[in-house]
């Protein structure tokens, strides 16, 4: 590890040794999991806000300024609002298909240690649906947009 430190210090904001070979992969899943679940929860939050008829940028701004919002919203919130407003999806930082893979791996790992992850399994189903709808290469932030649009089809309010 000492030989890798100069490179790691340039690439990483934080370096933590968390265990033997493979432990880093487990930690990566643990780090990604809450954010991936959040993207689905954001889609559901946006869906229940539909009756408010707020502009997408205002709604995202309000939701971004809460204690329950991850730091990632600071960088991704504006692009989500733009897509909700009808503009095309921007660059992909973490694809839906990669996120789906992480969620599936987390569920499988949970099973291997005799743990159930019901929220993760539910988010996995939603990411699978988004991928099946053709969003596999889109950024994971496409999931809340997909969910919102799916739920707003045919809605009158």
């Amino acid at each position: 590890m000492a030989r890798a430190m100069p490179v790691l210090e340039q690439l990483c904001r934080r370096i933590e040794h968390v265990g033997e070979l493979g432990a880093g992969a487990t930690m990566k899943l643990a780090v990604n999991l809450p954010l991936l679940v959040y993207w689905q929860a954001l889609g559901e939050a946006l869906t229940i806000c539909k009756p408010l008829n707020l502009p997408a940028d205002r709604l995202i701004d309000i939701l971004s300024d809460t204690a329950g919002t991850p730091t990632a919203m600071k960088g991704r919130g504006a692009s989500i609002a733009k897509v909700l407003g009808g503009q095309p999806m921007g660059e992909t930082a973490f694809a839906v298909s990669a996120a789906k893979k992480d969620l599936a791996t987390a569920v499988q790992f949970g099973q291997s240690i005799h743990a159930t992850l019901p929220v993760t399994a539910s988010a996995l189903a939603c990411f699978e649906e988004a991928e099946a709808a053709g969003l596999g290469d889109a950024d994971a932030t496409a999931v809340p947009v997909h969910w919102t649009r799916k739920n707003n089809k045919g809605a009158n309010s």
Side-chain angles (χ1 to χ4, degrees):
M1 185 161 144
R3 285 181 42 202
M5 286 304 283
V7 175
L8 292 173
E9 288 170 345
Q10 291 179 20
L11 295 174
C12 305
R13 183 181 62 80
R14 181 174 176 168
I15 302 165
E16 293 284 339
H17 184 268
V18 295
E20 298 302 316
L21 186 63
T26 300
M27 184 56 70
K28 175 193 175 282
L29 289 174
V31 167
N32 285 347
L33 207 154
L35 181 60
L36 299 177
V37 169
Y38 175 79
W39 293 136
Q40 175 57 31
L42 178 62
E44 295 176 26
L46 293 167
T47 297
I48 65 171
C49 286
K50 172 75 172 140
L52 302 176
N53 293 314
L54 294 173
D57 58 342
R58 181 169 178 223
L59 183 56
I60 291 293
D61 181 58
I62 293 168
L63 292 172
S64 295
D65 194 26
T66 66
T69 301
T71 306
M73 277 295 280
K74 287 180 176 70
R76 305 300 292 161
S79 63
I80 295 170
K82 288 178 184 175
V83 174
L84 287 169
Q87 294 183 22
M89 183 70 63
E91 290 185 29
T92 297
F94 190 53
V96 167
S97 58
K100 183 198 81 167
K101 179 187 67 70
D102 276 10
L103 289 166
T105 301
V107 169
Q108 291 166 355
F109 183 73
Q111 291 169 344
S112 79
I113 61 170
H114 308 290
T116 57
L117 308 177
V119 173
T120 305
S122 178
L124 171 60
C126 297
F127 274 74
E128 288 172 337
E129 180 182 310
E131 183 181 56
L135 296 173
D137 292 331
D139 191 79
T141 58
V143 170
V145 174
H146 167 72
W147 197 260
T148 302
R149 288 181 176 162
K150 171 189 169 180
N151 280 298
N152 287 337
K153 286 183 179 174
N156 294 330
S157 54

